[in-house]
Amino acid sequence: MIFYVRAFNRCSLIPSQRRYLFSLKKPISSFITRTRLIKDDHMVQLVTSSTVFTVKAIIAMSVLGSLGVDMRPVITGLGITGFTVGFALKDIGANFVSGFLLLFQKPFKMNDVIKSGSYQGKVIGMDVKYVHLQTPEGRILLPILLYCLKIGLSYIFFYEFLPEKQSLNGYSTFADESEPNHPKPIFSRLVFIIIDSLRADFVMGNNSGFNFVKRKIESGDALPFVSLAKPPTVTMPRIKALVSGSNPTFLDLVKNFDAYKMTFDNWLHQFKQANKSIVFYGDDTWIKMFGDGFFKRSEGTTSFFVQDTVEVDKNVTRHLDIELKNKDWDVMILHYLGLDHICHSEGIHSAKMIPKHQEMDKIIERIYGDLQDERTLLVVSGDHGITDQGNHGGSSIEELSTGLIFLSPLFHKLGQNRDGRNNLLGQRKDLKTFLESIESNIKYEIVNQIDIVSTLCILFGLPIPRNNAGKIIPRILSMYDDTDKRKALELNLNQISNLINASLECNSCPSECCELQEEIKNCNNEKKIDKVLDILIKASHFVSESSNEGSTNH
Ligand SMILES: [Zn+2]
């Protein structure tokens, strides 16, 4: 579909195309019927008319745009800029129509009770423009068509008007290995577990089934964090952020034909460059991203069968028997999908949730027990959160707040979290409300999801990936003595400073950017380590916000 839209961008309407344009209804409706995604006749009609309308609107906008009419005020005026199109990115290969159809994967029928935004009620009628809902407050009309139009226009907006982010090619290396200016590595082996859709409260909350993890937090062997992801809260872009330290923008995802490929520097590459071998089991997104042959051993599971909440995880766990005995890997990555599948099919209050927590908790306990030497680090993280209804893709605080735990007996000496630099609390108004709603006795620190990257690289004595915008997690920094603390901070600061130099336009001094570069330069003379840390926090914030304009909701 987009092919035609793009074609219209470049040429004027000619009769044959016009005929195609105005007979869209039939092919679309037969396409929808054939996909069998939607079985209800009403719904087929609804989706068809909405699609036709949206496509026409997109074409009209594109034509006007290419004739030189500035469409930005129109789009902004409709309040579209803040709209998230994450859902359409679920499968990047899908074109606009199928992305659009994702919305209707769980179509509703007459008499179903549905919820949309703040409205909940029984469906008592549907026509091409509205879904008629009977709510306790009376009868309301949900303007489906407007909603579809909004999605269509926001797609254009992201596609046509937002700047593409520059990312640096190549891989970081240490300048001079003979006299390494980086802190001594603390760990040599890593187990990195992603539990898909692990929202912060699933681990931290008093109702959580992660009993072993909570005991370890209490005894000081585990460090708990609320880790904030950026939208789109969809697995593939989140993995990219978790490995590169850089948040892909919507455009990076939409415009890249081969969006799955991991094309720039990331910590997996840094581990490989240091001759460390990696094994992987779980969500096959990783295998698509890194390609065949990247992992020493691997097996993928698929997120396609959402109803499967058991086998999909067993197929990961069964490899542990062998891999925990194998001594030939340095990094083991596991990505579990079962919890996400439960949320999608039954919502977060499903009876299967706590048993799934316990299953994951047992796996963590087993790995921790088997690898209980001081040189192994175990990290457990969500890739994104999830709404209570079991959706993700957008930018609600429930979708952004993920759980993150670092486990090792070495953390014991840090003692309980006292200062907990929670300077991120002010980042969003709803964060505080959300965290207060979690009933938890755990003292966690709030970090950005991308902070994992420089933290891991520093802990393992590796260069930090070139496009990283994250900072070493302050609490983990406190594992080092003062000399190494300074080295760690400088390593992180230099890398971010190089990124600013290379990718952001800083030439119009004075500007915030120049001031920041000046501050980074003066760090060498700064006596207080806390001051250096403050500058790193500032620099990290500056880079991640300026490179992320396309994907945040303001
Ligand atoms: Zn996910």
Side-chain angles (χ1 to χ4, degrees):
M1 202 52 61
I2 275 309
F3 173 77
Y4 288 98
V5 175
R6 303 288 295 168
F8 275 113
N9 236 339
R10 294 188 187 89
C11 60
S12 56
L13 289 169
I14 54 170
S16 65
Q17 280 164 329
R18 190 181 299 176
R19 230 182 11 251
Y20 176 84
L21 177 63
F22 289 104
S23 62
L24 275 175
K25 202 163 183 166
K26 222 174 160 189
I28 289 178
S29 113
S30 73
F31 171 77
I32 292 169
T33 318
R34 264 185 289 128
T35 60
R36 295 192 194 158
L37 276 174
I38 300 169
K39 297 192 178 74
D40 186 285
D41 280 349
H42 276 286
M43 191 54 92
V44 172
Q45 203 191 354
L46 188 74
V47 175
T48 306
S49 344
S50 313
T51 310
V52 172
F53 185 71
T54 310
V55 169
K56 283 184 184 171
I58 289 175
I59 292 171
M61 302 274 295
S62 292
V63 170
L64 285 173
S66 61
L67 290 174
V69 181
D70 187 3
M71 298 309 288
R72 271 169 294 189
V74 180
I75 295 171
T76 323
L78 288 168
I80 284 157
T81 55
F83 195 84
T84 302
V85 287
F87 75 92
L89 301 169
K90 195 161 177 163
D91 181 359
I92 286 299
N95 62 19
F96 179 60
V97 171
S98 57
F100 183 70
L101 287 176
L102 280 175
L103 256 188
F104 296 92
Q105 264 182 352
K106 289 178 208 161
F108 45 85
K109 314 183 291 296
M110 294 287 277
N111 296 322
D112 279 356
V113 175
I114 63 164
K115 192 166 185 271
S116 167
S118 50
Y119 302 110
Q120 183 167 352
K122 194 156 102 179
V123 179
I124 51 170
M126 276 185 271
D127 56 43
V128 288
K129 285 193 187 120
Y130 298 105
V131 173
H132 302 244
L133 274 194
Q134 187 67 50
T135 70
E137 293 84 39
R139 188 176 161 146
I140 59 159
L141 301 175
L142 285 180
I144 290 290
L145 208 56
L146 203 68
Y147 186 58
C148 297
L149 177 65
K150 223 176 148 177
I151 294 168
L153 294 185
S154 50
Y155 185 86
I156 293 202
F157 181 83
F158 284 117
Y159 206 83
E160 299 287 346
F161 299 120
L162 288 179
E164 209 159 352
K165 189 174 83 180
Q166 293 285 312
S167 49
L168 303 183
N169 294 323
Y171 299 93
S172 288
T173 47
F174 285 132
D176 184 4
E177 261 318 311
S178 59
E179 203 184 322
N181 200 24
H182 51 87
K184 289 174 285 297
I186 292 185
F187 297 106
S188 62
R189 265 186 134 194
L190 170 69
V191 180
F192 192 78
I193 305 178
I194 295 286
I195 301 176
D196 212 283
S197 293
L198 185 73
R199 199 168 83 183
D201 54 319
F202 297 169
V203 201
M204 319 284 183
N206 290 347
N207 301 329
S208 142
F210 284 85
N211 296 322
F212 169 77
V213 172
K214 288 209 276 190
R215 280 203 308 279
K216 285 286 136 188
I217 292 172
E218 214 164 286
S219 68
D221 300 315
L223 305 178
F225 303 96
V226 170
S227 159
L228 293 179
K230 290 271 189 195
T233 46
V234 190
T235 300
M236 190 270 283
R238 289 334 334 131
I239 298 178
K240 281 197 166 176
L242 277 165
V243 300
S244 71
S246 157
N247 287 300
T249 65
F250 282 99
L251 263 192
D252 295 327
L253 302 167
V254 174
K255 277 198 170 170
N256 274 344
F257 178 68
D258 203 359
Y260 268 107
K261 271 259 142 56
M262 191 65 222
T263 47
F264 48 86
D265 204 357
N266 57 82
W267 62 256
L268 276 76
H269 181 92
Q270 291 297 340
F271 274 80
K272 287 259 287 199
Q273 199 165 263
N275 287 324
K276 291 177 181 286
S277 54
I278 308 176
V279 295
F280 171 81
Y281 301 99
D283 186 346
D284 59 4
T285 307
W286 290 76
I287 298 173
K288 286 185 207 156
M289 281 170 63
F290 288 93
D292 291 331
F294 183 88
F295 299 107
K296 189 178 180 74
R297 285 181 295 276
S298 66
E299 190 180 71
T301 56
T302 171
S303 56
F304 193 71
F305 304 105
V306 177
Q307 298 302 328
D308 171 18
T309 62
V310 178
E311 293 303 319
V312 70
D313 286 347
K314 276 192 185 161
N315 283 333
V316 179
T317 307
R318 68 191 171 93
H319 295 281
L320 289 180
D321 290 335
I322 297 169
E323 291 298 0
L324 288 176
K325 287 191 197 104
N326 281 340
K327 295 274 177 265
D328 63 348
W329 54 263
D330 305 284
V331 180
M332 177 162 68
I333 302 172
L334 308 172
H335 188 143
Y336 283 98
L337 288 166
L339 183 118
D340 173 77
H341 288 186
I342 293 175
C343 295
H344 281 308
S345 46
E346 299 180 16
I348 70 158
H349 299 296
S350 159
K352 293 176 186 158
M353 271 298 260
I354 298 298
K356 185 54 90 178
H357 290 182
Q358 289 161 345
E359 179 192 336
M360 294 292 110
D361 190 61
K362 281 267 163 324
I363 291 161
I364 296 165
E365 180 169 11
R366 179 178 169 196
I367 295 174
Y368 187 85
D370 266 41
L371 302 173
Q372 208 180 31
D373 66 81
E374 297 209 322
R375 303 280 287 160
T376 303
L377 172 66
L378 174 53
V379 177
V380 181
S381 174
D383 54 344
H384 46 72
I386 196 144
T387 64
D388 286 5
Q389 294 76 33
N391 298 314
H392 60 85
S395 54
S396 72
I397 200 69
E398 289 84 2
E399 291 160 280
L400 301 181
S401 308
T402 72
L404 170 67
I405 316 284
F406 278 65
L407 295 104
S408 157
L410 280 190
F411 295 128
H412 198 81
K413 65 176 183 196
L414 290 179
Q416 289 295 319
N417 185 9
R418 271 170 290 112
D419 62 337
R421 285 175 170 265
N422 280 345
N423 55 348
L424 291 176
L425 205 54
Q427 210 170 59
R428 276 179 65 131
K429 281 187 217 111
D430 47 0
L431 177 59
K432 197 160 180 256
T433 326
F434 173 68
L435 293 177
E436 278 166 3
S437 75
I438 303 175
E439 289 180 13
S440 170
N441 303 324
I442 293 171
K443 286 206 175 112
Y444 46 78
E445 192 176 334
I446 305 167
V447 299
N448 284 320
Q449 184 174 53
I450 51 172
D451 293 343
I452 291 178
V453 176
S454 50
T455 304
L456 280 182
C457 288
I458 289 169
L459 285 174
F460 284 82
L462 299 170
I464 301 170
R466 297 195 77 188
N467 293 287
N468 167 64
K471 58 173 191 302
I472 180 171
I473 295 174
R475 183 136 176 81
I476 289 186
L477 185 69
S478 51
M479 297 189 69
Y480 292 98
D481 62 24
D482 278 3
T483 319
D484 273 354
K485 260 184 202 162
R486 182 171 284 275
K487 281 183 183 173
L489 288 172
E490 280 173 3
L491 192 69
N492 205 164
L493 265 174
N494 285 340
Q495 173 267 318
I496 290 187
S497 166
N498 288 340
L499 178 65
I500 296 176
N501 276 340
S503 65
L504 298 173
E505 279 175 20
C506 230
N507 29 19
S508 60
C509 289
S511 67
E512 199 191 339
C513 186
C514 307
E515 276 169 34
L516 189 63
Q517 288 289 46
E518 201 57 34
E519 272 186 88
I520 295 175
K521 239 184 267 163
N522 294 336
C523 269
N524 298 336
N525 313 322
E526 181 55 62
K527 296 247 158 39
K528 290 200 183 101
I529 286 172
D530 268 4
K531 282 267 163 58
V532 184
L533 176 59
D534 285 341
I535 295 169
L536 175 62
I537 291 172
K538 199 165 148 188
S540 160
H541 181 78
F542 178 78
V543 179
S544 61
E545 290 312 306
S546 57
S547 63
N548 199 49
E549 276 157 10
S551 56
T552 43
N553 257 9
H554 294 289

